[in-house]
Amino acid sequence: MTIAERAKQLLYERKPFVHATVVRAQPPTSAHAGDEAILLADGTIEGFVGGQCAQNSVRRAALGALQAGESVLLRVLPDGDVHFPDAPGACVVVNPCLSGGALEIFLTPQFPAPLVRICGSTPIADNLAQVCDVLGYEVRRDGGSDIPGSLRSCPPDFDGATAVVIATHGGVEAETIRAALDAGVGYVGLVASRVRGASVLDSLNLDAAEKDRVHSPVGLPIGAKTPAEIAVSIAAEVVAGIRRDDLPVAPRPEVTTTAVDPVCGMTVTIGPDTPTVRSDGDIHWFCCPGCRSRFVAAQA
């Protein structure tokens, strides 16, 4: 699987990641301009942007970029003077373990687009799907004529959805609302009249916090009449929730844990592949296998 294919897969699975691209490399570094990698929120690196020592610096900077949501140009330099063209605004890291050479790597955090799950195959549902597509949102349909009967007969799994809009004009509306709320969806819209919508919600015995997440009548009050106009009003309400009310779009990665390499003094981001040794009841983390080997030899 190529880096591009893996990136598409992660976005579909709604997993944030960082795309790393080597833009400049100075021998004898093992990386070359154009090398690419994907860095996951747990510190895993898929691809190649340098050896073990460089990877630790890249991992730490990439996770910082992921948490901040901003791209960064990382310069990884060996200890000592290096004749490497300046790059104003770059994040500079001096890596004492680097065997030589220098790197510049552009780190771009990638987050999934808002995911709108639309239930129903009504004209409002069809128009809403088109409007959300124009907005660049990811749309997944539930309950349409092209959906298997097993999904039409029961509420689907809404995990990861930014918004759920129920435009079935009947059916398992209450059950669908309950499933969306239980999945933690921040915006649940029910297309219904004021009277029918209130009846559906009353049957659910929602608490105050849950009621705040359910919108019925759905959409901003812009006087919409046609299915297309109603779709625009619903999309506008979802946009307002994302941009104004901090409606969650995708989970942000947790703050990573770091440790200091006892051999070289480098700050190490602890991940599934970080070299480690347990000694005298303490756990020590290392930037690369070389530092780990030197530590073990010194303890012998």
Side-chain angles (χ1 to χ4, degrees):
M1 182 181 296
T2 66
I3 293 294
E5 291 170 340
R6 178 60 170 147
K8 289 181 180 179
Q9 180 186 51
L10 290 169
L11 289 174
Y12 182 81
E13 295 173 353
R14 308 200 59 72
K15 296 178 180 178
F17 63 93
V18 171
H19 181 207
T21 304
V22 177
V23 294
R24 283 199 295 189
Q26 180 187 68
T29 181
S30 54
H32 300 86
D35 286 342
E36 296 179 282
I38 281 176
L39 292 95
L40 304 180
D42 65 356
T44 299
I45 298 178
E46 301 178 7
F48 185 77
V49 286
Q52 286 281 346
C53 290
Q55 284 181 12
N56 184 67
S57 298
V58 174
R59 180 183 289 110
R60 186 181 180 197
L63 294 178
L66 199 59
Q67 290 158 8
E70 297 179 353
S71 299
V72 64
L73 178 62
L74 174 68
R75 308 186 80 216
V76 184
L77 309 179
D79 200 7
D81 293 333
V82 175
H83 300 293
F84 202 54
D86 190 22
C91 172
V92 179
V93 174
V94 176
N95 189 329
C97 283
L98 211 61
S99 58
L103 291 168
E104 277 192 352
I105 302 169
F106 192 64
L107 305 172
T108 308
Q110 299 284 326
F111 299 96
L115 170 60
V116 180
R117 299 288 293 267
I118 303 174
C119 302
S121 56
T122 60
I124 291 175
D126 294 340
N127 280 273
L128 179 59
Q130 294 179 38
V131 174
C132 289
D133 185 62
V134 170
L135 292 171
Y137 295 172
E138 182 179 354
V139 176
R140 298 185 191 176
R141 302 289 297 271
D142 300 290
S145 59
D146 58 339
I147 303 299
S150 60
L151 286 182
R152 292 204 301 273
S153 62
C154 63
D157 182 359
F158 293 121
D159 283 346
T162 305
V164 170
V165 178
I166 305 162
T168 54
H169 296 320
V172 291
E173 293 172 322
E175 295 90 335
T176 305
I177 291 172
R178 183 72 268 166
L181 291 173
D182 289 345
V185 178
Y187 177 99
V188 182
L190 173 62
V191 178
S193 67
R194 191 176 299 276
V195 173
R196 191 171 70 82
S199 175
V200 172
L201 298 184
D202 287 344
S203 71
L204 288 167
N205 296 318
L206 304 178
D207 60 34
E210 291 174 329
K211 288 180 180 178
D212 288 341
R213 292 156 57 195
V214 181
H215 302 256
S216 186
V218 69
L220 294 181
I222 61 175
K225 297 295 184 183
T226 67
E229 291 172 346
I230 295 171
V232 169
S233 74
I234 296 171
E237 194 167 51
V238 173
V239 171
I242 294 172
R243 302 303 181 189
R244 183 189 63 197
D245 303 328
D246 295 326
L247 188 66
V249 173
R252 289 280 178 167
E254 298 180 359
V255 177
T256 55
T257 304
T258 60
V260 176
D261 186 320
V263 175
C264 68
M266 179 185 293
T267 300
V268 177
T269 298
I270 297 176
D273 300 325
T274 307
T276 183
V277 163
R278 183 181 292 275
S279 175
D280 297 328
D282 296 326
I283 299 177
H284 302 279
W285 304 90
F286 304 90
C287 70
C288 64
C291 281
R292 180 186 183 278
S293 296
R294 286 193 288 275
F295 178 86
V296 171
Q299 303 299 309

